[in-house]
Amino acid sequence: VSTQSTGSSGINAEYGQSLFTLVDSEGSDIEGEQLGLLLFKGGTVCDDSFHITAGHAICGFMGYKSASDWTFGQHFDIQSNYEIKLDNVQCSSREWEDCSFIEEHNCGHSEDVFLSCTNSEEEEDPIYIYTDTDSSLFALVDSERRVVGGGQLGLLLYKGGTVCDDSFDIYASHSICTYMGYTGSGYTSGQLFDIQSSYEINMDDVQCSGAMWSSDTCSFTEEHNCRHSEDVFLTCEY
């Protein structure tokens, strides 16, 4: 895992703009206030673990106030011309110095991150509809399947299906929220949304011995003996 200290604000912006760039469909550099393909050291960034908190950290590192939007996918023909150079970006705050990442990957270009930055006053975090093609491991959605951000209660999804509350506790809650880029959490379970029955139950018996999601500290099964009345809901906090 690699980390990078940001240093002073002026050096931060200059170095950040050399480390990260945003390009259009022709591969030309663009201003941050346009949605562009995010490049790291001249290669694309995979969306594994990526969250709006990481977007804020990268935009801040490039000299902007915050991220205004992000998405992922195969949107430009040029994407296949690039190597994928960054994966598993996880940020515990909006400062790049609080981010971890790896420079190896297990991704395809359909997972490339697109980002836009802004110097305007901060708006609410962007929200998008979670679909079956979303490659994120975990997501939180509201009653209309919209992905929710920090401080909002959401139905926890794992690989597009719900998570059963068997063995689930605060350690599992913290581990999953940390994996998604947050720092704190709370959880409950139940049949709270009409949409729950439309999902399969994809995870059960989650047990974590610490507050970080990894194969060393967390175990689970992808089989279950549950009903949707046992679906887990999380609130993650910045």
Side-chain angles (χ1 to χ4, degrees):
V1 175
S2 303
T3 58
Q4 174 66 54
S5 175
T6 59
S8 66
S9 59
I11 296 173
N12 170 32
E14 183 178 352
Y15 180 64
Q17 288 171 356
S18 66
L19 193 65
F20 290 103
T21 53
L22 295 170
V23 300
D24 62 17
S25 60
E26 302 297 323
S28 301
D29 290 358
I30 60 173
E31 294 297 321
E33 299 205 3
Q34 304 174 62
L35 187 67
L37 176 64
L38 177 63
L39 300 182
F40 169 81
K41 295 182 179 179
T44 64
V45 177
C46 181
D47 73 343
D48 291 347
S49 304
F50 201 93
H51 186 270
I52 189 61
T53 308
H56 288 317
I58 291 169
C59 286
F61 193 52
M62 296 172 67
Y64 296 93
K65 286 186 177 180
S66 63
S68 57
D69 197 6
W70 81 277
T71 188
F72 65 92
Q74 181 88 46
H75 302 301
F76 295 165
D77 292 338
I78 61 169
Q79 288 173 240
S80 59
N81 298 334
Y82 295 102
E83 295 182 11
I84 300 172
K85 290 196 173 177
L86 194 65
D87 194 12
N88 293 344
V89 181
Q90 299 185 63
C91 300
S92 60
S93 80
R94 299 184 178 202
E95 299 293 331
W96 181 246
E97 63 186 5
D98 294 326
C99 298
S100 64
F101 56 87
I102 60 173
E103 296 189 45
E104 299 176 350
H105 72 90
N106 59 348
C107 308
H109 284 295
S110 61
E111 300 169 82
D112 286 347
V113 171
F114 288 73
L115 182 68
S116 63
C117 304
T118 183
N119 280 319
S120 302
E121 291 302 315
E122 186 174 334
E123 301 177 353
E124 292 184 3
D125 286 346
I127 292 176
Y128 59 90
I129 301 297
Y130 187 93
T131 68
D132 292 339
T133 60
D134 195 317
S135 62
S136 302
L137 190 63
F138 292 106
L140 297 175
V141 299
D142 65 13
S143 61
E144 298 182 0
R145 305 180 193 274
R146 296 175 300 189
V147 174
V148 301
Q152 303 176 70
L153 182 69
L155 175 64
L156 176 62
L157 299 183
Y158 166 79
K159 294 183 178 179
T162 64
V163 176
C164 181
D165 67 357
D166 291 347
S167 302
F168 202 92
D169 62 12
I170 193 64
Y171 290 106
S173 174
H174 281 324
S175 296
I176 292 170
C177 284
T178 300
Y179 181 82
M180 292 193 292
Y182 299 96
T183 58
S185 68
Y187 76 97
T188 188
S189 61
Q191 182 86 45
L192 307 182
F193 295 164
D194 292 337
I195 61 170
Q196 287 172 239
S197 59
S198 66
Y199 292 107
E200 294 183 6
I201 300 172
N202 281 355
M203 179 181 265
D204 194 14
D205 296 326
V206 183
Q207 299 184 64
C208 296
S209 58
M212 297 294 292
W213 183 264
S214 76
S215 58
D216 294 328
T217 57
C218 296
S219 63
F220 59 91
T221 66
E222 295 190 356
E223 299 177 350
H224 71 90
N225 58 349
C226 307
R227 298 182 178 180
H228 284 295
S229 59
E230 300 169 81
D231 286 346
V232 171
F233 288 74
L234 288 187
T235 303
C236 297
E237 303 290 347
Y238 289 118

